[in-house]
Amino acid sequence: MKDAKNETITDSEWEVMRAIWTMGKTTSRELIDAMNQLQGWSDSTTKTLLHRLINKGAVVQSGTSRPFVFKPIVGEKESMAAAATDLFDHMCAMRAGSTIAGVIKTRELSQADIAELQAILTEKAKTAPEQVQCNCLPGHHMCEEVEEHGQ
Amino acid sequence: MKDAKNETITDSEWEVMRAIWTMGKTTSRELIDAMNQLQGWSDSTTKTLLHRLINKGAVVQSGTSRPFVFKPIVGEKESMAAAATDLFDHMCAMRAGSTIAGVIKTRELSQADIAELQAILTEKAKTAPEQVQCNCLPGHHMCEEVEEHGQ
DNA sequence: CCTTTAAATTTACATCTGTCACCTTTCAAC
DNA sequence: GTTGAAAGGTGACAGATGTAAATTTAAAGG
């Protein structure tokens, strides 16, 4: 999973980021307690992850005396976008549409979200192709059975 | 990244699956050559990955004599859906909408895909809430600044 | 039935991840 | 100042991953 800077953020680091993003800024104590609540992690685990995130440039430590304050450097929205891009880049382009459909079906979306998506789609429809090519194998530009593939 | 059976499929295994899915069925030789083309991997690398996938139950080996034939057991569509679900489950629910928006903007979608998405959205709009709650921290049910978060 | 050679299987190994225990430095209250 | 509890930092370690070399097995030709 990538963050806004295309650094790799691991799953557990991602959990820490979520908390930091939501808190906006935090002390290690607050964060440790939150992670203990959310994941049952020991103090050390959170500390380690926090440090790894600092090294990766995803979080900064600020303040001159203890306890220090930690803040996210990479943005949540951007990181989420990067992670999503990363995922779809590893999937067959031809099936992106139905995958997105599945996501939309299962997520809760607000009226505003839906309106935004509709607007984007309407715009996109103007230039959308009839077919999207499979980009899995060179030469082989078409996956077998698009609908009921698989078995 | 999860596959259709919720087994973890690693990134490089995922690349192998893409090839297998697209080929439908394959011999190790074909697969090895494809992976060599696509990723520059040595024979061994592909073999190892193929075996790990067999152990994970994502691929079956069939045939009674060499060369054997390998086929995907888990479906591509289902696995993609599982991977997407997995990703969104680790993100703030509140921002799923804009993340999806970003994905739609950057992917190529066919007219049919767009039509399907529109239909789903129209349906969903009937019962969509005004707001989606942040699910990152307990108690703390709202992320700061939804629009221009992050700095 | 031997040998060659492709296919299959094992072993290897450095790095990355998840998880943590333990050591070190400070602040803050005697 | 001394000291004890927080806060901060380091080292550790098992298991997962990426990548591949080495070894075994079996099919096919002579």
Side-chain angles (χ1 to χ4, degrees):
Chain A
M1 239 174 333
K2 304 291 181 61
D3 75 358
K5 287 180 179 164
N6 282 315
E7 281 262 12
T8 293
I9 292 290
T10 70
D11 285 340
S12 38
E13 285 166 356
W14 195 267
E15 294 303 330
V16 174
M17 286 308 296
R18 271 180 85 175
I20 296 180
W21 278 321
T22 305
M23 297 169 151
K25 67 179 192 236
T26 176
T27 61
S28 68
R29 175 47 43 199
E30 276 185 316
L31 188 62
I32 285 171
D33 290 343
M35 290 303 121
N36 181 271
Q37 283 287 304
L38 289 161
Q39 315 279 332
W41 288 340
S42 78
D43 294 21
S44 306
T45 301
T46 303
K47 288 183 199 172
T48 300
L49 259 10
L50 180 57
H51 278 213
R52 287 183 183 167
L53 286 168
I54 290 173
N55 290 331
K56 289 182 179 179
V59 171
V60 255
Q61 186 184 50
S62 62
T64 50
S65 80
R66 291 177 173 183
F68 299 136
V69 170
F70 298 87
K71 287 188 293 193
I73 293 181
V74 300
E76 179 171 22
K77 190 171 174 178
E78 291 76 11
S79 295
M80 287 175 68
T85 294
D86 194 41
L87 180 74
F88 281 90
D89 280 351
H90 289 294
M91 293 178 158
C92 179
M94 186 175 226
R95 304 197 199 273
S98 62
T99 301
I100 294 171
V103 172
I104 291 180
K105 280 185 199 154
T106 56
R107 298 290 136 183
E108 202 181 335
L109 298 176
S110 71
Q111 292 290 342
D113 287 329
I114 293 177
E116 187 193 0
L117 293 177
Q118 303 242 233
I120 294 172
L121 287 170
T122 300
E123 193 52 40
K124 232 181 149 59
K126 294 181 186 166
T127 60
E130 213 50 54
Q131 275 273 308
V132 174
Q133 297 294 295
C134 163
N135 61 344
C136 295
L137 293 180
H140 198 298
H141 285 306
M142 186 93 185
C143 294
E144 359 266 295
E145 9 146 24
V146 182
E147 328 303 316
E148 218 48 282
H149 75 82
Q151 96 312 142
Chain B
M1 239 174 333
K2 302 292 180 62
D3 75 0
K5 288 180 179 165
N6 282 316
E7 281 260 11
T8 293
I9 293 289
T10 70
D11 285 339
S12 37
E13 286 166 355
W14 194 267
E15 293 304 330
V16 175
M17 287 310 294
R18 273 180 82 175
I20 297 180
W21 278 321
T22 305
M23 296 169 151
K25 66 178 195 243
T26 177
T27 61
S28 68
R29 174 49 43 199
E30 276 185 314
L31 188 63
I32 286 170
D33 291 343
M35 289 302 122
N36 181 271
Q37 282 289 303
L38 289 160
Q39 314 279 330
W41 287 341
S42 79
D43 294 22
S44 307
T45 301
T46 302
K47 288 183 198 172
T48 300
L49 260 9
L50 180 56
H51 278 223
R52 286 184 184 168
L53 285 168
I54 290 173
N55 289 333
K56 290 183 179 177
V59 171
V60 255
Q61 188 183 49
S62 63
T64 51
S65 78
R66 294 175 171 185
F68 299 136
V69 171
F70 299 86
K71 288 188 293 194
I73 294 181
V74 300
E76 179 171 21
K77 191 172 173 178
E78 291 76 11
S79 295
M80 286 175 68
T85 295
D86 194 42
L87 179 74
F88 281 91
D89 279 350
H90 288 293
M91 293 179 158
C92 180
M94 188 175 223
R95 303 195 200 274
S98 62
T99 302
I100 295 171
V103 172
I104 292 180
K105 280 185 199 156
T106 56
R107 298 289 135 184
E108 204 182 331
L109 297 176
S110 71
Q111 292 290 343
D113 286 331
I114 293 177
E116 187 193 358
L117 294 178
Q118 304 233 244
I120 294 173
L121 286 170
T122 300
E123 194 52 40
K124 229 179 151 60
K126 294 180 186 166
T127 59
E130 212 49 55
Q131 275 273 310
V132 175
Q133 297 294 295
C134 163
N135 62 344
C136 296
L137 293 181
H140 198 299
H141 285 306
M142 186 90 185
C143 294
E144 358 266 298
E145 11 147 23
V146 183
E147 326 304 316
E148 216 49 286
H149 74 83
Q151 95 312 142

